[in-house]
Amino acid sequence: MLTSRTFLKRTRAGAVMKVVREHYLREDIACGAAACEPCGQQPGEPRLEAQPSGAASSLCPAPHYLLPDTNVLLHQIDILEDPVITNVIVLQTVLQEVRKRSAPVYKRIRDVIANPEKHFYSFTNEHHRETYIEQEQGETSNDRNDKAIRVAAKWYDEHLKKINNEETIQVILLTNDRKNKEKAVEEGLTAYTCEEYIKSLIANPDLVDRLACVSDEGKEIESGRIIFSEHLPLSKLQQGIKSGIYFQGTFRANRDNYLEATVWVHGDAEENKEIIIQGLKNLNRAVHEDLVAVELLAKDQWVAPSSVVLQDEGQNEDDDENEEEKENTLKSSVNKNMLRPSGRVVGIIKRNWRPFCGMLSKSQIKEARRHLFTPADRRIPRIRIETRQASTLEGQRIIVAIDGWPRNSRYPNGHFVKNLGTAGDKETETEVLLLEHDVPHQPFSQAVLSFLPKMPWSITEEDMKFREDLRYLCVCSVDPPGCTDIDDALHCRELENGNLEVGVHIADVSHFIRPGNALDQESAKRGTTVYLCEKRIDMVPELLSSNLCSLRSNVDRFAFSCIWEMNHNAEILKTRFTKSVINSKASLTYAEAQMRIDSASMKDDITTSLRGLNKLAKILKKRRIDNGALTLSSPEVRFHIDSETHDPIDLQTKELKETNSMVEEFMLLANISVAKKIHEEFSEYALLRKHPAPPPSNYDILVKAAKSKNLEIKTDSAKALADTLDKAESPEFPYLNTLLRILATRCMMQAVYFCSGMDNDFHHYGLASPIYTHFTSPIRRYADIIVHRLLAVAISADSTYPELTDKHKLADLCKNLNYRHKMAQYAQRASVAFHTQLFFKNKGVVNEEAYILFVRKNAIVVLIPKYGLEGTVFFEEKDKPKPNLNYNDEVPSLTVGNTTFYTFDKVKVNIMLDASNIQHQKIRMALVEPKILGSDVPNQTTELSTNSEPEKKKKKLKK
């Protein structure tokens, strides 16, 4: 049967066009019930059970299927994902609406439907002759969809009565829409709200905690007072943005100050690029990463970024009496030059809520069901949830989702999703760390693994026809100790004409990962391998990362080789690229390679090759630095892990050897050579990497800090910066130059991937290179796989495919890769921070020398070179008399009592683990020298167990 709709549409040119849409209706669409013989299910198709074995309900003791409407699916997806909920009919009407309104929820429900254990069935009601309905004149699409859902529920009710079962299976319509429920009951359907049904489940009372709190009216515990102004509707916001009254941007909450945020305005306008939002009412219920509309305040109301550190630690959820007092501390003693464009949030364009990890702050009221949840991410506000399991969840890491934020509530409302495990437990904390940084870490699915080569794998004669045989070369790899995913290997040999041949051989991952298959899609989604202190989250399955692609010694491996002919002055005479087969003669660590180079007795081929490489690398590095490349510094730490307890027993800064630099130089050279080649061949589609020059204001802190030590740092070009950093030395303060380089690193912009056809600025500021890409690590970076594919097409070693030459798709891919790389970096830092806490937990209290990196209004940020550790020393403590603080932003300096602190001053600090807040355990630092009157520092011999925890918490930990 065929129905059709005709409507008129105006084209861009102004012409009127008649559009006829045909809609086919069928009678052979199966109902999905396993016991239904007339419908005749296809084998292997997901189906509803013949005898539904779901949770027992006091409202509906008979066997039943559930049929949720759109809002239930959108808001109660956590409930529907629970193993208890099975045998659910998902209508096409509902799925289409969910797809329009929330891509993440749509993906989650598709995954649930695909899970055969859940017995969810997707019914195509819009194409079934008996369940399709036309939209009536004057009827809204929302009312039409509600009616379509009721019609489908009614059809199922009638249809299931025809099955010869002992008991008729009922269909329960789940809807939170009061009118829809009333109409359904009038029409003789069984309908409940989601809350009614979940509360009726006899054996699963805990499921109530996972109910999303959708309607806030009448549920507030406050006395109806309004805290926040109303958000404007989307239509008004769009008009305001168009006319320039409002600005659209991304809301970025301040990690150190819950009363302050920045909105990064979208668009190319230079002025008002960053708008500061200060104070609870101006923040107006926006949450970190939301897309918001902002109204600019009058200039006399502009504020300066605050140097005060403020955490929301009030125990009472409505304790906002001192909020104004805190807001006033932000505004005190502000330099007029520091004022920045300031505004207030007038509306939310798009929420960017996700499930948040954190801990429950149990209410002090006995038998209370309402509690505050404190997220692990300090940029997220606390969330009020209802739960009956507060005693069980205390001390646990849990996941909570936000449901809404009413105007009369200090905090948003949410619901409990999942318990991750005990706080402080290594496995739990690693899981939290991965979830919070959105690192995909589930095991690879069978669909992905099915595209791996079958074992045992070997190189065939067919493979050799398309590759150069380089197994005769003396190739070796140099990597950190314990490295199993070896991406790169090198060789250097003298040619008969007296020149040198240098080869960089990179694992040929793109041979195994073919475009568009499940393995390729998963690798693209992950974007990068994430290295934690004790764990590696691979981008590709282990069979490839640690075996078939890894260039291990004494095995034949596929490679993509970049080979140069150079003279002895490291000048490139010829460059060629080839797909090859190599056999690495040695897998060395940096230390082993260094030992060979330095040894007077070793003269074998590998050592000779390494010496040749090292000599050329020094020339290349000098030339690069002479061209203005920056040598920056950031302290990297290395943990020595106990083999039994897996706890860190020692913490040291990594020592870099000459061989680190040797490998780096040839990787940079290969990346630059490949970037030139792919851009030559694909001027519009090359995937490149750029490092933008920082805006001059970024350098203020570096220039001021150097000036305080009577040194001048020039920042008008990378070359000027590199040269003045080289000269900035002090004989009586040898560590000063390293500190300046660490500070210079903080001034830098983030390097990013981009598509050459979408950008004009290719320059890499840090490397002083006009063009750059990533080619040398395809086992751990997806960008390199794309670059390999481009290079392979450029040298006719592989065929192209449509996505490779679609600059818009490439630009979207770059966006995801930049996000994944940033999150991987943050996850790695969080892992180092967690292991550092474990180290000091076992070590107790120590005193160490430190240098001041930054001076704040009420604190100093110090760096401890011995551990590469950074921390904050606060001068204001709760329940202690406030010292007299005088902050000078121009120098910058901070005077505490009679002592003045400047950037780079040497101090002595006391380091200990503060475990009083289990969720945010932190390294606490106190000043030992210079001594400030009235401040007391814990004794060095203090035992650090749980002594710093309140008595109440200690008892709970012993349970």
Side-chain angles (χ1 to χ4, degrees), residues 350-611:
K350 186 171 183 282
R351 287 289 192 190
N352 202 16
W353 294 343
R354 59 179 174 84
F356 301 105
C357 299
M359 291 182 74
L360 197 70
S361 308
K362 196 178 168 200
S363 169
Q364 305 296 317
I365 304 162
K366 211 178 173 190
E367 301 298 317
R369 282 190 189 171
R370 287 184 159 215
H371 308 272
L372 276 179
F373 161 84
T374 307
D377 186 341
R378 289 192 186 276
R379 294 168 301 189
I380 306 299
R382 297 160 92 190
I383 302 163
R384 186 195 292 136
I385 67 167
E386 281 193 37
T387 176
R388 300 149 190 257
Q389 325 170 51
S391 304
T392 317
L393 296 178
E394 209 176 3
Q396 302 286 299
R397 288 282 202 175
I398 62 172
I399 296 179
V400 160
I402 297 181
D403 299 324
W405 195 339
R407 290 173 61 197
N408 52 356
S409 170
R410 171 72 178 76
Y411 297 109
N413 291 330
H415 66 273
F416 166 75
V417 175
K418 188 181 177 186
N419 184 355
L420 294 172
T422 308
D425 174 74
K426 206 179 295 181
E427 293 300 312
T428 305
E429 294 303 327
T430 303
E431 179 72 9
V432 168
L433 187 152
L434 293 169
L435 287 168
E436 277 299 291
H437 294 97
D438 195 15
V439 175
H441 60 286
Q442 289 72 26
F444 289 100
S445 69
Q446 278 311 118
V448 169
L449 298 174
S450 68
F451 286 96
L452 292 175
K454 302 290 173 273
M455 295 302 283
W457 175 86
S458 62
I459 295 171
T460 64
E461 278 183 33
E462 192 64 27
D463 292 327
M464 294 306 295
K465 283 181 190 172
F466 305 101
R467 291 180 180 270
E468 200 172 323
D469 191 345
L470 301 179
R471 288 177 287 193
Y472 64 92
L473 289 174
C474 186
V475 172
C476 68
S477 62
V478 184
D479 290 283
C483 177
T484 59
D485 52 346
I486 302 169
D487 282 294
D488 53 90
L490 301 153
H491 89 271
C492 176
R493 62 175 183 149
E494 195 156 336
L495 298 171
E496 287 175 7
N497 63 7
N499 289 332
L500 296 168
E501 180 188 82
V502 176
V504 165
H505 310 276
I506 305 299
D508 188 4
V509 182
S510 64
H511 170 84
F512 296 98
I513 299 181
R514 301 311 294 163
N517 68 24
L519 176 55
D520 183 45
Q521 286 170 4
E522 182 64 23
S523 308
K525 179 184 147 195
R526 294 184 178 219
T528 179
T529 292
V530 181
Y531 294 90
L532 305 181
C533 291
E534 269 191 278
K535 193 176 186 177
R536 189 178 82 201
I537 314 294
D538 280 325
M539 179 184 82
V540 298
E542 197 179 7
L543 178 65
L544 296 182
S545 66
S546 296
N547 186 351
L548 302 184
C549 291
S550 184
L551 305 180
R552 302 188 302 190
S553 54
N554 305 314
V555 286
D556 294 350
R557 288 288 178 259
F558 287 153
F560 210 149
S561 301
C562 172
I563 299 167
W564 303 280
E565 186 178 326
M566 291 181 178
N567 61 22
H568 286 263
N569 196 28
E571 287 160 340
I572 298 169
L573 308 172
K574 282 184 198 163
T575 306
R576 70 187 184 92
F577 306 98
T578 180
K579 290 254 184 174
S580 61
V581 177
I582 64 163
N583 187 303
S584 172
K585 304 299 180 275
S587 300
L588 305 171
T589 64
Y590 290 117
E592 286 166 349
Q594 192 66 53
M595 193 185 72
R596 279 175 177 264
I597 291 168
D598 297 342
S599 165
S601 59
M602 295 185 84
K603 292 186 174 61
D604 58 283
D605 289 350
I606 293 169
T607 307
T608 308
S609 177
L610 286 169
R611 284 184 187 137

Side-chain angles (χ1 to χ4, degrees), residues 731-768:
E732 65 275 7
F733 188 1
Y735 196 65
L736 176 65
N737 192 264
T738 307
L739 286 169
L740 282 166
R741 289 180 194 277
I742 288 169
L743 216 50
T745 308
R746 306 292 169 88
C747 302
M748 292 299 140
M749 305 290 282
Q750 191 82 33
V752 289
Y753 296 111
F754 69 101
C755 171
S756 60
M758 307 288 276
D759 209 320
N760 302 321
D761 175 23
F762 293 9
H763 191 75
H764 197 293
Y765 180 81
L767 297 172

Side-chain angles (χ1 to χ4, degrees), residues 95-356:
L95 263 185
Q96 284 172 345
E97 194 62 24
V98 168
R99 187 178 194 169
K100 268 190 241 166
R101 286 165 61 183
S102 172
V105 173
Y106 179 72
K107 187 191 177 302
R108 285 168 72 181
I109 196 65
R110 295 290 332 174
D111 289 345
V112 175
I113 292 168
N115 179 357
E117 291 171 14
K118 289 281 287 170
H119 302 288
F120 272 50
Y121 181 71
S122 175
F123 178 61
T124 321
N125 65 308
E126 295 289 355
H127 288 279
H128 194 293
R129 194 163 65 84
E130 292 180 39
T131 57
Y132 173 73
I133 60 161
E134 292 275 3
Q135 186 170 345
E136 291 174 13
Q137 209 169 355
E139 188 178 38
T140 66
S141 57
N142 192 38
D143 287 344
R144 182 261 164 208
N145 288 347
D146 282 347
K147 189 158 82 177
I149 292 166
R150 295 196 301 274
V151 166
K154 186 83 176 161
W155 177 83
Y156 259 103
D157 240 2
E158 299 299 325
H159 182 76
L160 294 175
K161 284 174 185 167
K162 298 170 190 171
I163 300 173
N164 296 325
N165 258 8
E166 293 167 25
E167 262 186 292
T168 305
I169 299 169
Q170 271 186 287
V171 171
I172 296 179
L173 174 64
L174 293 183
T175 177
N176 288 336
D177 184 322
R178 191 166 46 83
K179 283 183 183 170
N180 195 23
K181 187 187 166 196
E182 283 169 8
K183 284 181 183 173
V185 172
E186 276 171 28
E187 290 166 19
L189 293 168
T190 309
Y192 300 116
T193 65
C194 191
E195 192 173 345
E196 285 169 345
Y197 179 75
I198 296 303
K199 285 182 175 174
S200 78
L201 300 181
I202 300 156
N204 303 90
D206 293 349
L207 207 54
V208 174
D209 289 356
R210 299 186 68 179
L211 274 169
C213 173
V214 181
S215 171
D216 302 306
E217 299 152 282
K219 286 195 175 184
E220 296 314 312
I221 59 168
E222 292 93 354
S223 54
R225 68 207 162 102
I226 301 295
I227 301 172
F228 301 104
S229 56
E230 199 168 350
H231 287 149
L232 297 179
L234 202 55
S235 55
K236 274 195 179 172
L237 296 179
Q238 284 164 340
Q239 280 171 9
I241 290 163
K242 222 174 187 178
S243 60
I245 302 169
Y246 307 137
F247 294 91
Q248 175 176 321
T250 306
F251 182 89
R252 301 268 163 83
N254 186 328
R255 197 185 296 274
D256 296 321
N257 184 346
Y258 74 100
L259 290 175
E260 185 173 284
T262 307
V263 171
W264 289 81
V265 177
H266 300 178
D268 304 322
E270 277 306 305
E271 64 170 345
N272 303 335
K273 195 78 187 145
E274 242 181 87
I275 298 175
I276 290 177
I277 315 287
Q278 229 177 59
L280 204 62
K281 289 183 171 63
N282 289 340
L283 296 170
N284 198 6
R285 298 171 286 158
V287 175
H288 183 63
E289 291 291 344
D290 280 352
L291 193 59
V292 298
V294 174
E295 180 180 45
L296 213 55
L297 297 174
K299 276 202 172 182
D300 59 354
Q301 291 178 276
W302 283 13
V303 295
S306 165
S307 302
V308 178
V309 177
L310 277 182
Q311 304 295 355
D312 181 10
E313 287 169 348
Q315 282 307 301
N316 179 359
E317 59 186 87
D318 302 307
D319 179 20
D320 47 19
E321 286 171 19
N322 59 358
E323 220 70 79
E324 279 182 35
E325 188 189 321
K326 285 182 180 177
E327 286 180 24
N328 290 334
T329 62
L330 304 184
K331 292 167 188 164
S332 59
S333 66
V334 168
N335 182 333
K336 287 274 182 283
N337 301 332
M338 298 295 290
L339 297 176
R340 296 280 182 274
S342 309
R344 66 184 189 96
V345 173
V346 291
I348 310 290
I349 296 162
K350 186 171 183 282
R351 287 289 192 190
N352 202 16
W353 294 343
R354 59 179 174 84
F356 301 105

